[in-house]
Amino acid sequence: GAGVSQSPSNKVTEKGKDVELRCDPISGHTALYWYRQRLGQGLEFLIYFQGNSAPDKSGLPSDRFSAERTGESVSTLTIQRTQQEDSAVYLCASSFVGRGQETQYFGPGTRLLVL
Amino acid sequence: SQQGEEDPQALSIQEGENATMNCSYKTSINNLQWYRQNSGRGLVHLILIRSNEREKHSGRLRVTLDTSKKSSSLLITASRAADTASYFCAPFSGQNFVFGPGTRLSVLP
């Protein structure tokens, strides 16, 4: 089936505006992850959803960041009042936890530029 | 959450040579995975090794795991220019896991 998809591919916004990033996981995957990757840096964990459990929000850098996921489907990451330091690639990944594999399948990412 | 730390941070080799990257982690794991990132976009899963395995092969990739030392290594044999990428290890302990900064591998023609 289809892989993880993310939209938009690229987003340019002005400082102070809100942005919403979307992730469509692989159908049937119970776990969904959001990461941020600044230019030339490693991945920075943001948030993790697993089934109907409370999400692990420990990686969200500030209260301007929030994410939602409805059931085991699409997730949206919202950044309010964007700042220039929010410029990065935002990666989403999904996996099927429980089969002992837990391999993460990544989407292509959304490249966010805050001017 | 569990984070892997890769070493070295950067590695340059000639095409045809072998490349070895190391990963260390802190707590017990269910499995450890290696991923590759080619272009600053999505990562691609390379190989998974379980905590009760010591070595695993996949094509030109060889992964070892030493749970007593909490370390793993990824060996790429007969490297090619197309292997140029960042490589990340991801130790998995049953919850979410955190990627380290990665090793940037450059394979020179």
Side-chain angles (χ1 to χ4, degrees):
Chain A
V4 177
S5 61
Q6 292 186 246
S7 61
S9 301
N10 296 280
K11 176 71 176 179
V12 181
T13 190
E14 294 179 348
K15 178 181 172 181
K17 296 284 180 71
D18 297 352
V19 296
E20 191 172 278
L21 312 179
R22 177 186 170 107
C23 172
D24 284 272
I26 292 173
S27 178
H29 278 193
T30 56
L32 187 146
Y33 308 76
W34 281 99
Y35 298 91
R36 177 171 70 179
Q37 187 177 33
R38 293 196 169 102
L39 187 64
Q41 304 292 315
L43 272 71
E44 179 184 358
F45 167 76
L46 296 178
I47 188 168
Y48 163 64
F49 296 90
Q50 166 53 25
N52 294 319
S53 302
D56 179 349
K57 303 179 180 180
S58 60
L60 294 178
S62 77
D63 59 9
R64 296 187 295 106
F65 288 72
S66 63
E68 292 184 352
R69 187 185 187 195
T70 305
E72 295 180 354
S73 62
V74 66
S75 175
T76 55
L77 175 69
T78 301
I79 309 173
Q80 296 178 310
R81 305 180 302 281
T82 52
Q83 304 294 314
Q84 289 181 333
E85 63 261 28
D86 298 334
S87 296
V89 175
Y90 289 82
L91 293 162
C92 172
S94 70
S95 68
F96 186 80
V97 177
R99 284 182 176 167
Q101 292 292 321
E102 297 96 18
T103 299
Q104 293 195 13
Y105 296 84
F106 281 79
T110 293
R111 193 180 302 277
L112 175 66
L113 178 61
V114 182
L115 301 176
Chain B
S1 58
Q2 171 78 273
Q3 178 172 358
E5 294 284 343
E6 298 88 356
D7 170 66
Q9 291 186 347
L11 178 62
S12 286
I13 58 173
Q14 295 294 130
E15 203 164 21
E17 294 180 339
N18 296 341
T20 299
M21 288 159 272
N22 302 298
C23 169
S24 59
Y25 56 92
K26 291 186 167 59
T27 64
S28 60
I29 59 171
N30 293 359
N31 63 64
L32 185 142
Q33 303 170 38
W34 284 91
Y35 290 78
R36 182 184 69 211
Q37 184 179 41
N38 278 91
S39 58
R41 291 279 183 148
L43 279 67
V44 173
H45 177 259
L46 293 177
I47 195 166
L48 179 153
I49 186 166
R50 302 199 177 284
S51 60
N52 60 354
E53 296 176 314
R54 291 297 168 260
E55 187 171 312
K56 199 161 184 179
H57 297 255
S58 177
R60 294 183 296 111
L61 305 180
R62 171 176 165 252
V63 169
T64 62
L65 180 64
D66 187 335
T67 53
S68 66
K69 295 181 180 178
K70 293 186 170 52
S71 68
S72 173
S73 67
L74 171 66
L75 169 68
I76 304 174
T77 60
S79 63
R80 305 168 182 169
D83 295 328
T84 295
S86 290
Y87 292 82
F88 299 86
C89 73
F92 184 76
S93 56
Q95 300 177 344
N96 59 310
F97 53 88
V98 179
F99 291 84
T103 291
R104 292 184 301 280
L105 173 66
S106 297
V107 181
L108 306 174

